[in-house]
């Protein structure tokens, strides 16, 4: 059931890495327990001259934006492709667009359900006497971002020498997109599939059933390499995705077993299930357990008096 994660050494920030003939990566210096070494922004197209697309410009960070603009000096930026509106992915699009004139492509603005859920988590943290920012690693979300082009599932987005198929992959967040880069059989997988860690599913906008459906969908695709926004490339992606699915199914089994002796709160389940991990990760783990409980509720396997109340007791149906 354990997923074999793959890490990498901390990269040099702001430096251009040529990771394949048509892909360069520039890392932003925003490391955290949620972003690993930081955001990896991808530049797709020839290494010099001509036209390029940028995937996930990254956080609102002047040094990162300057590094990106230096990397594409003398080139035309044709597209800014946004996987989703968390603060480590989309905010730099504004500055890069201003400097290059490139339009932004995304599924849609930051979802209202995610804003509401974030406010709830902050309120709970304050009530618990904790710092609000400790409540929620993904933060409030990039509420300023509005894509110039609304992308639909299956849409082809092309520039000179590069072709992307957009995949709408809700689960981590309802506006998540992956971009299949056809010339190199590569999937830019955003936060949907990451090698270094499993994906946080902040319910209710994050949806475990959607997430699993969008993992299963990848099993039949032909991309041979995934490039997540955080961490190294995934070289055997189909096997890895199958492991992720098995891992989540195992977690659901664990939760059902944990409820076998009677009703329990989310935190009571978390403390037991995540006894072996750093306590700092118990909050995001709680978000994951909550996502599982909501998914199990949808299939009528569990029930709760008030599923919107963090303190509520969950029981088997
Ligand atoms: Zn994210």
């Amino acid at each position: 059931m354990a997923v074999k994660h793959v890490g990498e050494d901390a990269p040099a920030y702001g430096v251009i890495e040529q990771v394949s003939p048509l892909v360069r990566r520039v890392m932003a210096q925003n490391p955290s327990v949620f972003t690993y070494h930081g955001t990896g922004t991808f530049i797709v197209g020839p290494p010099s001259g001509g036209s390029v697309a940028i995937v996930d410009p990254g956080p609102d960070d002047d040094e990162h934006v300057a590094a990106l603009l230096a990397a594409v000096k003398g080139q035309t930026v044709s597209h800014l492709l946004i996987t989703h509106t968390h603060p480590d992915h989309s905010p730099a699009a504004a500055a890069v667009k201003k400097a290059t004139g490139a339009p932004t492509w995304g599924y849609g603005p930051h979802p209202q359900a995610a804003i509401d859920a974030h406010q709830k988590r902050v309120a709970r943290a304050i009530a618990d006497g904790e710092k609000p920012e400790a409540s929620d690693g993904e933060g409030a979300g990039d509420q300023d971002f509005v894509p110039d082009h609304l992308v639909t599932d299956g849409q082809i987005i092309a520039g000179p020498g590069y072709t992307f198929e957009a995949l709408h992959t809700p689960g981590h967040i309802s506006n998540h997109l992956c971009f299949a880069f056809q010339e190199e059989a590569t999937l830019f997988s955003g936060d949907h599939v990451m090698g270094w860690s499993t994906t946080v599913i902040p319910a209710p906008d994050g949806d475990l059933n959607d997430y699993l459906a969008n993992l299963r969908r990848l099993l039949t695709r032909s991309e041979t390499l995934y490039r997540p926004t955080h961490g190294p490339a995934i070289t055997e992606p189909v096997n890895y995705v199958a492991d992720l699915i098995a891992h989540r199914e195992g977690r659901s089994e664990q939760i059902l077993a944990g409820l076998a002796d009677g009703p329990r709160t989310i935190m009571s389940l978390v403390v037991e299930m995540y006894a072996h991990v750093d306590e700092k990760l118990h909050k995001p783990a709680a978000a994951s357990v909550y996502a599982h409980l909501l998914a199990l509720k949808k299939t009528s396997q569990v029930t709760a008096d008030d599923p919107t109340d963090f303190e509520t007791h969950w029981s088997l149906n």
Side-chain angles (χ1 to χ4, degrees), residues 122-204:
V122 168
R124 200 168 66 229
I126 291 169
D128 289 351
E130 293 169 7
K131 286 192 185 131
E133 46 286 14
S135 69
D136 187 352
E138 300 280 11
D142 180 4
Q143 295 174 38
D144 297 330
F145 177 74
V146 180
D148 297 318
H149 296 273
L150 290 175
V151 175
T152 54
D153 185 52
Q155 186 171 349
I156 301 296
I157 302 165
Y162 41 89
T163 315
F164 302 93
E165 179 190 354
L167 304 181
H168 182 218
T169 48
H172 173 61
I173 180 170
S174 58
N175 66 10
H176 197 286
L177 294 167
C178 294
F179 297 99
F181 171 39
Q182 297 183 349
E183 282 77 0
E184 291 189 351
T186 292
L187 187 75
F188 291 103
S189 56
D191 286 0
H192 180 48
V193 180
M194 298 182 285
W196 78 280
S197 166
T198 51
T199 292
V200 176
I201 309 292

Side-chain angles (χ1 to χ4, degrees), residues 4-311:
K4 249 201 189 149
H5 294 301
V6 280
E8 64 182 345
D9 293 337
Y13 293 110
V15 170
I16 303 166
E17 275 174 273
Q18 186 81 42
V19 295
S20 78
L22 290 176
V23 179
R24 283 169 283 166
R25 183 173 78 158
V26 178
M27 291 289 301
Q29 194 162 5
N30 58 336
S32 76
V33 290
F34 300 99
T35 61
Y36 194 42
H37 296 310
T39 298
T41 296
F42 293 105
I43 302 168
V44 182
S48 64
S51 229
V52 294
I54 293 178
V55 180
D56 275 354
D60 182 15
D61 174 327
D62 291 347
E63 281 179 34
H64 184 58
V65 169
L68 286 178
L69 294 177
V72 300
K73 202 164 179 237
Q75 301 189 292
T76 302
V77 181
S78 62
H79 302 78
L80 302 175
L81 304 178
I82 309 301
T83 64
H84 66 294
T85 50
H86 279 148
D88 47 328
H89 296 259
S90 55
V96 176
K97 178 184 167 178
K98 201 172 166 205
T100 64
T104 56
W105 298 68
Y107 189 79
H110 197 60
Q112 187 60 45
I115 297 169
D116 296 345
H118 170 73
Q119 285 169 350
K120 260 184 112 162
R121 282 193 290 272
V122 168
R124 200 168 66 229
I126 291 169
D128 289 351
E130 293 169 7
K131 286 192 185 131
E133 46 286 14
S135 69
D136 187 352
E138 300 280 11
D142 180 4
Q143 295 174 38
D144 297 330
F145 177 74
V146 180
D148 297 318
H149 296 273
L150 290 175
V151 175
T152 54
D153 185 52
Q155 186 171 349
I156 301 296
I157 302 165
Y162 41 89
T163 315
F164 302 93
E165 179 190 354
L167 304 181
H168 182 218
T169 48
H172 173 61
I173 180 170
S174 58
N175 66 10
H176 197 286
L177 294 167
C178 294
F179 297 99
F181 171 39
Q182 297 183 349
E183 282 77 0
E184 291 189 351
T186 292
L187 187 75
F188 291 103
S189 56
D191 286 0
H192 180 48
V193 180
M194 298 182 285
W196 78 280
S197 166
T198 51
T199 292
V200 176
I201 309 292
D205 180 70
D207 183 304
L208 187 78
N209 290 325
D210 285 351
Y211 170 70
L212 286 171
N214 285 300
L215 285 181
R216 291 192 184 103
R217 178 179 180 196
L218 297 180
L219 295 175
T220 57
R221 291 189 60 90
S222 58
E223 287 80 25
T224 52
L225 190 79
Y226 289 5
R227 294 195 187 282
T229 304
H230 309 286
I234 302 165
T235 52
E236 286 189 53
V238 172
N239 291 343
Y240 184 72
V241 167
D243 286 351
L244 290 177
I245 294 167
H247 169 73
R248 295 292 177 157
E249 288 171 346
R251 279 269 182 260
S252 287
E253 292 302 319
Q254 235 184 325
I255 289 169
L256 293 172
L259 295 176
D261 293 332
R264 294 174 71 172
T265 63
I266 293 172
M267 276 324 279
S268 139
L269 287 164
V270 166
V271 167
E272 181 180 293
M273 290 168 61
Y274 294 85
H276 58 290
V277 306
D278 190 336
E279 227 173 276
K280 266 193 296 200
L281 293 173
H282 282 186
K283 284 255 165 162
S288 171
V289 169
Y290 182 48
H292 277 265
L293 287 164
L294 285 185
L296 290 167
K297 188 172 175 296
K298 274 189 193 161
T299 50
S300 302
Q301 288 166 279
V302 302
T303 181
D305 292 339
D306 179 4
T308 64
D309 177 6
F310 185 73
E311 309 288 345

